[in-house]
Amino acid sequence: MSQKSASPLLVVLAFATVYIVWGSTYFFIRMSEQGGMPPFLLGAIRFTTAGALLMGWCIFKGEKIFVKRDIINAAVTGLLLLLVGNGIVIWAEKTLPSAMVAIMVSSAPIWFVLLDKPNWAVNLKNKSTIIGLIIGFAGVILLFSEQLQVMFTGGGASMLPWMLLLLLGSMSWSYGSLYAKHRPSTGSASVSTAWQMLVAGIAYLPVSLFHGEFSGLNLADIQLGGWLSVLYLILFGSIAAYNAYVWLLQVRPATQVSTYAYVNPVIAVILGVVFAHENISVIQLTGLFVILASVLLINLAKYRKEKMALASA
């Protein structure tokens, strides 16, 4: 399948947006919560506002937005990706450093392969993919090793429950992405994304209520930095970066676009350590680079497959 032609400058700008902005969202989630924004209310405000803005743009362009099957599929995808997957990230950042959260989430490409049952026959026959999966699990074990030691030696409060939750969030993100892939929208990607964000944003409200975030809440107490971080997440994290990602999938090979998985956690670690003064251990950094090496091997198999398909076309 040939790719659409595109300006090299626009491609570079789009890649830079996906690389840097998505990598920075972990840091700005942390900043918004430190500014006094409750985590699930943050999700509600971020995705409802971004979804409404994007839906308004789709209506302005005259796109068809009320297709029952597309709305249902978008709702399921939005709940899996943005409520469960991203919601666990937001919640975990109340306790864990943003850099550590990003490192844990870097395992998502591993779950893409393992949860993609229709392609098991192809993916699990490839040596690079198998080796990549084994290396990836070694990286995950490295990430857990310190906290397991803390738990068994009584050396303080273990972060293990939060780390397990983040693995669940990564699985939910991967499964939601695969769900959307196998049930493509009959309309534009923008309409589907708008419904995903609107459904997830509204679903955050009862979760926020259940966690007592509205009890004694005074929006005036939220610092300016908290509100500015929310604005950044809405405009750049949920609108600009995602649309750049969707556009890149149309003009560049999927394997190239997926390289954001290597860059995002590195950006998150740099921002967390430099600006938020977070401490990341050598073992955690080693785990990150081991996982990124596994993702490289998995994507190498995909790249070879795409190259062979193009050569035979």
Side-chain angles (χ1 to χ4, degrees), residues 136-253:
F137 278 112
V140 172
I141 291 170
L142 267 177
L143 294 181
F144 276 92
S145 61
E146 286 182 317
Q147 294 307 311
L148 286 170
Q149 185 178 6
V150 168
M151 185 177 69
F152 286 116
T153 60
S158 174
M159 297 178 182
L160 190 60
W162 290 104
M163 295 172 72
L164 289 170
L165 264 179
L166 284 167
L167 276 188
L168 176 63
S170 293
M171 292 178 191
S172 180
W173 181 275
S174 301
Y175 184 75
S177 299
L178 291 169
Y179 179 92
K181 176 184 176 182
H182 295 303
R183 295 167 180 80
S185 172
T186 59
S188 72
S190 295
V191 172
S192 178
T193 304
W195 279 118
Q196 289 174 34
M197 290 193 289
L198 281 172
V199 170
I202 293 169
Y204 267 101
L205 289 172
V207 178
S208 177
L209 185 64
F210 177 78
H211 279 263
E213 292 183 348
F214 289 96
S215 179
L217 176 67
N218 185 355
L219 295 180
D221 292 336
I222 298 174
Q223 300 172 14
L224 177 61
W227 285 114
L228 290 176
S229 295
V230 174
L231 184 63
Y232 177 90
L233 290 168
I234 291 170
L235 296 179
F236 293 96
S238 294
I239 295 180
Y242 188 84
N243 279 321
Y245 175 73
V246 171
W247 181 75
L248 280 172
L249 286 174
Q250 297 174 350
V251 299
R252 305 303 301 168

